[in-house]
Amino acid sequence: LPNANPDEIFGDLIATNLLTAPHELAAGNLLSQIILNLNKRGLRDLDQAASIRMRIGRMSKQADGSLTPSALRVGGDIQHIGDPRGIFPFPNLVIEVAECESLPKLGVELRNWVSACTSVQVAIGIKIFAPQVDSTRRMLALVYRRECPHNPEQAVEFGTNLGDAAGLHVTISLADLFHGVALPAGVDGATTLAVDLARVRKAIARYL
């Protein structure tokens, strides 16, 4: 990497998996649903990103998607991502999608995101399993929360093996999404947003 800044890659070897359409669409659909839900409530001050390299202990990691309040600043319990100037805070929400990676490996990555080495509040994981004998696919959504003593807090099956099953969702609280910044007047932090997993399934199933 002759043109790379060594401070930006932390002296580590960077190895990445080639991303597939289902992988990208799963992360994109999750983020778009959350943002649309927030916009309906007049909440627009979050920055959406992917591929930002962050330092977790001795590891260098990239999330498949993230949301950070625009006003969030490093300080107190808000840690920085390991950037050279130490000014970029960890996002409050990260998304990890695993298609080739195993479920145990996904669980390790989600635990790392909400570990004491970061200030991430919520990590959502999507596991897309290999095809079954009937060509259907299991899909599993996991939600890890910093404040949960027994993660995953939520685990929801939503694969094509369930047919057209509806009512499948995971929830995220506004308090977690906006941790570290003040919520607008009249907005209750206990309010939760539901992410429709049937929509995620529909977005990616045609590419499986």
Side-chain angles (χ1 to χ4, degrees):
L1 300 173
N3 298 317
N5 180 344
D7 288 330
E8 293 176 350
I9 63 172
F10 312 109
D12 296 332
L13 174 66
I14 300 175
T16 60
N17 292 314
L18 294 177
L19 303 183
T20 64
H23 187 285
E24 290 284 88
L25 287 168
N29 191 278
L30 280 169
L31 277 178
S32 65
Q33 284 197 57
I34 295 168
I35 291 168
L36 284 172
N37 273 324
L38 291 169
N39 288 347
K40 289 177 182 178
R41 292 169 169 78
L43 300 171
R44 295 180 173 83
D45 297 328
L46 287 108
D47 298 325
Q48 176 182 347
S51 302
I52 296 176
R53 190 153 290 280
M54 296 175 253
R55 184 76 168 182
I56 304 179
R58 299 181 63 184
M59 297 181 297
S60 181
K61 284 284 299 170
Q62 284 175 286
D64 293 315
S66 68
L67 285 175
T68 308
S70 303
L72 191 65
R73 298 291 182 268
V74 173
D77 67 341
I78 306 302
Q79 302 184 51
H80 65 78
I81 64 173
D83 56 294
R85 292 188 293 165
I87 62 171
F88 294 105
F90 274 98
N92 280 347
L93 168 78
V94 298
I95 293 170
E96 286 280 358
V97 180
E99 188 173 6
C100 300
E101 301 89 347
S102 69
L103 181 59
K105 183 175 186 296
L106 175 62
V108 169
E109 291 183 348
L110 296 173
R111 283 193 295 274
N112 285 336
W113 280 121
V114 295
S115 71
C117 296
T118 83
S119 49
V120 174
Q121 300 301 305
V122 185
I124 301 177
I126 298 292
K127 172 57 183 167
I128 304 170
F129 292 86
Q132 302 189 85
V133 174
D134 60 359
S135 298
T136 61
R137 294 278 195 113
R138 279 186 65 206
M139 301 178 201
L140 177 66
L142 301 169
V143 178
Y144 281 59
R145 288 186 64 241
R146 177 168 299 281
E147 299 302 323
C148 180
H150 304 294
N151 278 310
E153 181 191 67
Q154 302 168 57
V156 182
E157 293 267 2
F158 68 104
T160 60
N161 58 311
L162 300 178
D164 295 325
L168 305 173
H169 64 272
V170 293
T171 58
I172 312 157
S173 74
L174 293 182
D176 285 336
L177 285 175
F178 287 91
H179 178 79
V181 299
L183 279 166
V187 177
D188 184 358
T191 301
T192 58
L193 305 179
V195 179
D196 186 347
L197 295 173
R199 289 179 59 186
V200 178
R201 178 181 62 205
K202 182 179 179 180
I204 65 179
R206 55 190 163 149
Y207 291 99
L208 294 174

